[in-house]
Amino acid sequence: MAIEIIARKRETQGTSAARRLRRKGLVPGIVYGGDQGALNIELDHKALYLNLRNERFHASILTLEVAGAKEQVLLRSVNMHPYKPQVQHVDFQRVMKDRKLHMKVPLHFANAEKSPGVKDQGGVVSHVLNELDIACLPDDLPEFIEVDLGNLAVGNSIHARDLALPKGVELALKKDENPVVATVVVPTLITEEEEAAAAAAAVAPSEIPTTEQAAEPKEGEAAAEGEKGAAKPGEKPAAAKGAEKPADKTDKKDKK
């Protein structure tokens, strides 16, 4: 069932006019392509924002109604606000039934839990691509392409050209291009004990703290740096604290 959206013809253009529309809860847009000229439109922001959350809205033929007239279109571009959940502008392209479309279609992955790589070998599936470029007529456009992972083992991959495509659908790839879609790999787990051992081995010996105290200086050696009374090179050692002063050469009593 086609998704229907309602829009109105937009009479005003320019940056200032677009700001006024956004303040009113509307989104400026444009419809182009086909045998007609470009048409400026405006859409309700709330309804459009909800539709954008639907995967089918991005890869399906839509029915656009403007002033009572309906036509089939594709969503081609969406401009979002840098940090607000607000749509700034939207582009639609008219669909011609006799012309092929070039679209990005989402990939749906199936049977991963049944694959020998996951079930028996402890691997996990790595999704390299989540969408694929295809070409087809409008009536053959699929909503998604299924990727069957049921036979995938560890170390093996599925490429784009390995996929079973719906009737009338072909890959929009270059001649020698065949990108990887999915692969199964074994996750690398590091235990806490291994992390602690690696951290200990990374510490240099000079960085390891020690509780060993400095040895007492030997007889005849200078005292440790910073010790009171330590002799500097070329200087005589200071007298020890409390040492007896030299006696006077003449006793006072003898002088009497």
Side-chain angles (χ1 to χ4, degrees):
M1 182 178 178
I3 300 175
E4 294 188 3
I5 48 179
I6 299 175
R8 293 186 298 272
K9 186 177 179 180
R10 178 162 51 98
E11 301 295 343
T12 59
Q13 300 183 36
T15 304
S16 299
R19 290 198 188 101
R20 288 194 295 269
L21 284 176
R22 296 184 189 110
R23 286 196 292 266
K24 295 179 182 178
L26 300 174
V27 180
I30 189 172
V31 184
Y32 62 88
D35 298 330
Q36 305 177 41
L39 175 65
N40 294 316
I41 59 174
E42 57 188 51
L43 305 91
D44 179 72
H45 182 273
K46 183 177 180 180
L48 177 62
Y49 188 79
L50 291 175
N51 278 323
L52 288 172
R53 299 174 65 182
N54 184 355
E55 182 185 69
R56 291 181 56 239
F57 191 75
H58 295 261
S60 299
I61 296 176
L62 312 171
T63 300
L64 176 65
E65 180 180 342
V66 181
K70 296 182 179 181
E71 55 184 341
Q72 291 186 323
V73 298
L74 289 170
L75 177 66
R76 280 307 190 188
S77 177
V78 179
N79 295 336
M80 299 294 297
H81 191 278
Y83 56 87
K84 294 180 182 179
Q86 182 185 48
V87 184
Q88 300 285 86
H89 194 275
V90 63
D91 293 358
F92 295 98
Q93 181 184 359
R94 295 185 182 94
V95 172
M96 307 296 292
K97 288 190 174 184
D98 57 344
R99 298 182 187 177
K100 281 190 175 183
L101 304 171
H102 288 263
M103 290 285 296
K104 287 185 179 291
V105 176
L107 300 175
H108 286 191
F109 298 89
N111 301 322
E113 68 283 353
K114 298 179 182 179
S115 67
V118 174
K119 184 178 180 180
D120 302 325
Q121 298 172 313
V124 294
V125 177
S126 174
H127 298 164
V128 182
L129 296 179
N130 290 312
E131 58 184 11
L132 202 59
D133 288 319
I134 65 165
C136 65
L137 291 172
D139 291 340
D140 297 327
L141 180 64
E143 294 182 6
F144 61 88
I145 294 177
E146 184 174 292
V147 182
D148 188 359
L149 304 173
N151 297 320
L152 205 59
V154 167
N156 293 342
S157 303
I158 293 181
H159 292 75
R161 299 188 186 278
D162 300 331
L163 301 177
L165 301 176
K167 183 180 178 181
V169 177
E170 59 187 26
L171 297 174
L173 300 175
K174 296 179 180 179
K175 184 177 180 180
D176 299 328
E177 191 177 5
N178 190 20
V180 174
V181 174
T183 185
V184 176
V185 297
V186 176
T188 302
L189 300 178
I190 301 178
T191 63
E192 294 182 0
E193 291 79 4
E194 290 174 337
E195 289 181 350
V203 178
S206 60
E207 297 176 355
I208 300 176
T210 178
T211 57
E212 185 178 355
Q213 295 181 357
E216 294 292 336
K218 295 180 180 179
E219 185 178 356
E221 291 182 352
E225 184 179 354
E227 184 178 346
K228 292 184 178 180
K232 296 182 181 179
E235 293 181 359
K236 294 182 179 181
K241 186 178 181 181
E244 293 183 359
K245 296 182 180 180
D248 293 339
K249 292 182 180 180
T250 306
D251 192 1
K252 293 181 179 179
K253 292 182 180 181
D254 294 340
K255 288 182 180 180
K256 293 180 178 179

